[in-house]
Amino acid sequence: MVRKKSLGFTVLKGIGASKGIGIGRIFILETSDLRINRKAVPDKPEAELLRYRSARDRVSVRFNQAAAHILKELGSGKGNILDVHALILKDQGLNQEIEFLIRGGKKAEVAVETVFRGISERQKLAENKYLKERFTVSRDIGRQLVMELLGAHRLEVVKGKGDVILVARELTPFALADHPANIKGFAVETGGPTGHAAILARAYNIPMVLGIAGIESAVENGARALLNGATGELIINPSPEIVADSLRLRGLEIDGEAKAGAEKAVSETKDGRRIELLMNIANTHGLNTANTCGADGVGLFRTEFLFLNKETLPTEEEQFLEFEKVAKALFPRKVIIRTADFGGDKQPPAAAETGGTPAYPGLRGIRYCLAHPALFETHLRAILRAGTAGNVGIMFPMVPGLETFREAKVFLKRTREKMAWEGVKLGRAMRVGIMIEVPSAALMAGVLARESDFFSIGTNDLFQYTLGIDREDNSYSAYERFLPPSIVQLVQLVVESAHKKKKPAAVCGELAHQLWALPLLIGLGVDELSMDAAHIPAVRQAVRALSYAWCRELAQKALLLETPAAIRDLLKGAAGE
Ligand code: PEP
Ligand code: MG
């Protein structure tokens, strides 16, 4: 997707994954070619083994440092991104394979490269997404090990080279965690906006554009470049006018964010409609951001992350301590704990303990838990114990309809009764809600609203299952402001059904923080929006600039439209664009 302009600059278009403007000289990171000298004669196997083990230890230390760095710098739930790296590095089978080759007379880097090449070949063939993800991480570790053995340190190579726009075929979270400060932007061929590297780039506030096909051969080292992470453009040799305009826009952006940060006002429209803004969290890191961003509570606690990257299932006590920490930190604000949503790309390594690996898209969410009663009971006990203070609510993911919801509620009730009989201290009964993530639940919202205390619409999965597009596939992220009429109709149905029974309806998928969709979501009557804490100040500012009456009118118009393009045009028009 290269657009040549006669004015002498070139625009490469990708997907904006982290907004902001970066200016610098192109630096192409050689990722594919590590130049291993296969002809070099290895030292004695014992010496090679030592060389391998000490390189492995150094990489391990660097993983830990990077993980600690992420925790310290970002402190908002990003700290566990590298946990899986550390686990794989300790993998006995892998180490035995490498050491076996070294003992057989191979140089350490050749042995490492051979074993990891085997892994990436298996990766290409793997059908299971979980394995695919694991193998990508393994390949990254293999690279780190080879680089360590060759004395090549990835992003460090740009140190002292002035401001740089880093171009790479792929970029891993590990590399990013250690980036030198002169990197002003990332332009990458692979990866998606929901990937871990993109999450870190956003957390570090470094502009990032992904999905520029053939990027390494489309640019030259040393060329002047401007990266616009909002529009997804990499401009090579930008004119002074482009640079000036972009910088002016960046100024506006920064100014807006600063004001938003200072804004501690209530999130309500000009005509007084209160829209609660809540946080999505995956663990207990960064709970202090709840205060700095002025969150009204936690709208989605993705508890399954407590189970991932663990060799065994966490005990009731371990889970309880995590849930209690959140409930106490946020009190008296509400905390909605979602029961573990295993399945798809979130599979616990400890799944074997529970008698099987969750399938995708088969046994997922609440159905997985109901099929594993021992796991579910321990999990619910921990949640119920954390709920004594009264601010905790519970919601079940991937509920397909009434029968499953009833089954889950009965399970919860029995667990509670059993605990009461044991004399465990319990608070009053919790509010119990449903995540609306599949069309069957959305279509049955009228029925479900009778028995559910609230709804929270998971638009990430609702898009996936309504449109039949894989949420991991980035090709549809390239569509601008993509909101199909089917989703608008479903949201309307869910919200209206909730309101008829005087129950609130939230949105907790990624759509919740999209400013372009905000007037429509408010107009459809959504009561609460739950998102990464970082988005809350800007969304609050936007809510305060809107009037509910105007949003209602806009939503009525949107409900009559028949294509995503018509809805996009309506929203653009409404935003004065
Ligand atoms: C969703 O599906 O929109 C959602 C919030 O849940 P998750 O992203 O964890 O699947
Ligand atoms: Mg979901």
Side-chain angles (χ1 to χ4, degrees), residues 338 341 346 364 398 435 437 458 460-461 471:
R338 171 177 82 182
D341 178 22
K346 293 181 289 194
R364 192 184 153 183
M398 304 299 295
M435 268 194 91
E437 301 172 277
N460 304 339
D461 278 309
R471 61 187 274 185

Side-chain angles (χ1 to χ4, degrees), residues 316 373 376-384 408-422 424 426:
E316 177 186 322
F376 197 30
E377 188 180 324
T378 307
H379 188 43
L380 290 180
R381 288 177 69 97
I383 299 174
L384 287 165
K409 284 221 307 189
V410 167
F411 198 107
L412 179 66
K413 188 165 164 274
R414 292 216 177 111
T415 306
R416 205 183 143 86
E417 282 165 1
K418 194 164 150 194
M419 290 168 77
W421 181 79
E422 289 167 14
V424 179
L426 293 165

